[in-house]
Amino acid sequence: MSCPVTCAAWVPKGAAKETPDKVQLDREELKRLISEAKERLQDATDASDDECHEEAADNSMDVVEASAPEDGDPEETEKLDDDELAEYDLDKYDEEDAGTESLGEALAGLAVYGSNENDPYVTIKDTDQYEHEDFAIKPSDNLVVCGRVDKDHCSLEVHVYNHDEDSFYVHHDLILSAYPLSTEWLNFDPNPDDSTGNYIAVGTMSPVIEVWDLDIVDCLEPVFSLGSKKAKKKKKKGKKSSSKEDNHVGHTDAVLDLSWNKQLRSVLASASADHSVILWDMSTGTPAAELSFHTDKVQTLQFHPFETQTLVSGSYDKSAILYDCRSPQDSRRIWRFSGEVARVTWNHFSPYHFLASTEDGFVYSIDARSDKPVFTLKAHDEEVSGLQLSSQIKGCLVTSSSDKYVKIWDILGDKPSLVHSRDMKMGILFCAACCSDLPFVYAFGGERQGLRIWDISTISAVNDVFGSRQRLVVAQPSTDAKNSAQQQ
């Protein structure tokens, strides 16, 4: 059975607690959670019952009574029942077979040891040490968080990846309330002491954004949420419901993408199927601004890596919009493309440039100061669902697509050339993410095979092109965007 991975995000080394906390629920907390779950289930049941009653009322005139079957001969019926039971030989059901061994005789030769210490076939006598080692997060570990869809539930899987030890395993998972669509790591802690944390924001088919603490294992609910679900009201004939009457906060449809502002850490941007972009103030849990300039679903967005106020978004309306968030109503710029915009990403080595990919397989390089693209690349045959620049290697671009392929490009000098292409055997690819600490390591999610990690430096063609290229480390946030990278 295939279990799609729809989104993924890396957690930098050193961000996670060495020993994550485990939830210990007291009786009152457990009662509260059970009560809330019952209320949600009851609301869902009531809504379903209302729909069923309405359908039954509509179809009541079409019901036709079925004629009762004619009574058959009772003697024939009884004879048939006896014949059917005869094949099971129930009269001899309690009689034991002569050749059957007793349980004691069957287990007579089985050796049983009082503990693993005495059992010569058990080579690992105590597994507690190994379990503790797997549970602890080392300073050299990266976490990779992905949204996974199983048959009967959706979850966040938290993986541990250690490049030096070549280890990769699931550390723990978190059950989600809805289908996951986007993930974004952030370290902003809403507590007033202004400390840093280790959180993952999740956008789902629900309009509510959930923020989970990755340093807590076995938690049952997010640490906080942004937005609220729209209350379902029964429609009355002749009356129209007014959106102003309810106290709804945030989006009204699925949250398709998220972007955290690394300079102003309390700000998170969200893109939604309701055609809007919302800037959230996470310190208060409320929207700071709503940008409604797209005319269709907003599928992707990203804050500028160095300029606090700059944001770009892409939409199903085949456009990308650049905002100055200080005055978004007055300061914005629009570019039009050949297809729906699937992904946008800033070039952190060239602060005036960003890349946009479309559902018809194109990748565009855009200079924010110009109306025309710097270059246009026909990268794939279908939608380019993943668009990731290497975190440290200038010009190294990796794309993934619905055509099932991952491609590695050299775009240095604005002259893109294909370096390597691979069918990942994962079906349609939904997402790609580059590790911030390891510039050649990427995570991919698709229709099947779970989360896949690929170190592209193992490809000889990649080493030939990028192996000798200088590695650049993105500088800490600075007011001067031109000094956006410093040589390692």
Side-chain angles (χ1 to χ4, degrees):
M1 182 182 66
S2 62
C3 296
V5 169
T6 56
C7 49
W10 287 88
V11 178
K13 291 179 181 178
K17 268 187 179 181
E18 180 179 351
T19 305
D21 299 325
K22 287 190 176 182
V23 172
Q24 300 291 336
L25 292 177
D26 56 31
R27 183 171 296 181
E28 294 300 322
E29 186 71 10
L30 191 57
K31 284 182 179 179
R32 181 184 67 81
L33 291 172
I34 293 173
S35 176
E36 291 178 356
K38 284 181 177 179
E39 289 179 4
R40 288 195 295 269
L41 288 173
Q42 186 62 43
D43 291 342
T45 302
D46 291 344
S48 178
D49 289 344
D50 290 342
E51 293 177 1
C52 291
H53 289 321
E54 289 176 4
E55 291 179 4
D58 293 339
N59 298 329
S60 61
M61 299 302 295
D62 299 329
V63 176
V64 178
E65 293 184 2
S67 58
E70 296 180 1
D71 293 336
D73 188 348
E75 292 184 1
E76 290 184 6
T77 304
E78 185 176 351
K79 185 178 179 181
L80 287 172
D81 292 342
D82 291 340
D83 292 341
E84 290 174 356
L85 293 173
E87 64 176 301
Y88 297 104
D89 198 16
L90 296 179
D91 293 336
K92 299 180 180 180
Y93 180 77
D94 294 327
E95 297 180 9
E96 295 184 359
D97 295 336
T100 304
E101 294 180 336
S102 66
L103 181 62
E105 293 172 346
L107 300 178
L110 182 64
V112 180
Y113 297 91
S115 68
N116 289 343
E117 293 292 337
N118 301 325
D119 193 337
Y121 295 101
V122 177
T123 56
I124 300 177
K125 305 299 183 181
D126 185 7
T127 60
D128 291 342
Q129 177 184 353
Y130 297 93
E131 291 176 358
H132 177 73
E133 289 178 358
D134 287 344
F135 187 73
I137 307 296
K138 300 176 183 177
S140 57
D141 287 339
N142 280 104
L143 298 185
V144 198
V145 186
C146 71
R148 178 185 171 99
V149 180
D150 288 273
K151 185 177 181 180
D152 56 353
H153 73 284
C154 298
S155 62
L156 279 181
E157 280 189 343
V158 183
H159 298 251
V160 173
Y161 176 75
N162 191 297
H163 185 70
D164 299 330
E165 299 176 1
D166 194 25
S167 63
F168 179 58
Y169 60 91
V170 177
H171 186 272
H172 65 279
D173 61 1
L174 304 165
I175 302 300
L176 297 175
S177 60
Y179 192 103
L181 299 172
S182 57
T183 51
E184 178 79 343
W185 179 80
L186 51 96
N187 69 10
F188 174 75
D189 192 326
N191 292 324
D193 58 0
D194 196 30
S195 60
T196 59
N198 181 26
Y199 298 102
I200 193 80
V202 186
T204 67
M205 292 296 289
S206 164
V208 179
I209 301 165
E210 298 179 351
V211 182
W212 295 80
D213 191 338
L214 295 177
D215 290 334
I216 300 178
V217 177
D218 298 333
C219 54
L220 302 178
E221 57 184 358
V223 287
F224 65 93
S225 300
L226 302 172
S228 61
K229 288 185 178 180
K230 193 172 183 179
K232 293 183 178 180
K233 297 181 180 180
K234 294 182 180 179
K235 294 181 179 179
K236 295 182 179 180
K237 293 182 179 180
K239 292 186 178 180
K240 294 183 179 179
S241 60
S242 174
S243 59
K244 296 180 180 179
E245 292 178 1
D246 54 35
N247 295 321
H248 178 75
V249 175
H251 291 296
T252 58
D253 207 336
V255 177
L256 305 182
D257 200 12
L258 298 165
S259 181
W260 174 51
N261 193 317
K262 296 177 177 61
Q263 280 69 44
L264 192 57
R265 294 172 45 247
S266 62
V267 174
L268 180 73
S270 58
S272 174
D274 64 10
H275 306 183
S276 72
V277 171
I278 290 182
L279 306 181
W280 296 90
D281 183 352
M282 291 187 289
S283 61
T284 61
T286 58
E290 182 171 347
L291 314 177
S292 300
F293 300 108
H294 285 291
T295 58
D296 208 334
K297 297 174 184 177
V298 187
Q299 183 160 247
T300 177
L301 81 172
Q302 192 177 82
F303 273 113
H304 195 282
F306 314 111
E307 298 176 1
T308 306
Q309 74 281 1
T310 305
L311 174 72
V312 64
S313 64
S315 169
Y316 277 42
D317 64 10
K318 302 183 180 181
S319 75
I321 301 180
L322 180 68
Y323 308 90
D324 183 337
C325 294
R326 294 171 297 187
S327 56
Q329 303 297 330
D330 305 319
S331 302
R332 62 183 184 277
R333 193 165 192 168
I334 302 177
W335 290 264
R336 303 286 178 184
F337 301 101
S338 60
E340 298 169 358
V341 180
R343 305 299 304 169
V344 292
T345 186
W346 285 98
N347 187 341
H348 43 272
F349 301 113
S350 181
Y352 294 114
H353 294 79
F354 69 90
L355 299 169
S357 66
T358 58
E359 47 88 23
D360 55 355
F362 285 92
V363 172
Y364 298 85
S365 176
I366 304 295
D367 187 331
R369 302 163 296 183
S370 174
D371 294 328
K372 295 182 179 180
V374 177
F375 68 76
T376 300
L377 169 67
K378 178 59 175 176
H380 292 270
D381 295 329
E382 298 181 27
E383 176 182 329
V384 182
S385 56
L387 186 68
Q388 289 283 308
L389 287 162
S390 170
S391 56
Q392 299 176 24
I393 307 298
K394 190 174 182 180
C396 180
L397 172 67
V398 173
T399 59
S400 62
S401 171
S402 299
D403 66 9
K404 306 176 184 179
Y405 278 82
V406 167
K407 295 184 179 181
I408 304 166
W409 306 87
D410 182 10
I411 63 169
L412 194 65
D414 296 324
K415 296 178 180 179
S417 60
L418 181 63
V419 176
H420 184 73
S421 176
R422 173 181 288 186
D423 183 350
M424 298 296 287
K425 308 296 184 183
M426 298 170 65
I428 294 173
L429 296 172
F430 298 125
C431 61
C434 180
C435 179
S436 58
D437 300 302
L438 303 165
F440 288 117
V441 176
Y442 287 77
F444 300 95
E447 276 186 307
R448 54 182 180 269
Q449 302 298 326
L451 184 70
R452 182 83 62 83
I453 303 296
W454 184 21
D455 182 356
I456 63 173
S457 66
T458 58
I459 305 300
S460 58
V462 173
N463 268 325
D464 291 342
V465 176
F466 302 110
S468 59
R469 194 168 294 182
Q470 288 183 326
R471 294 193 181 190
L472 304 175
V473 178
V474 176
Q476 294 299 317
S478 169
T479 55
D480 186 3
K482 292 182 181 179
N483 296 325
S484 60
Q486 64 181 18
Q487 189 169 331
Q488 187 176 18

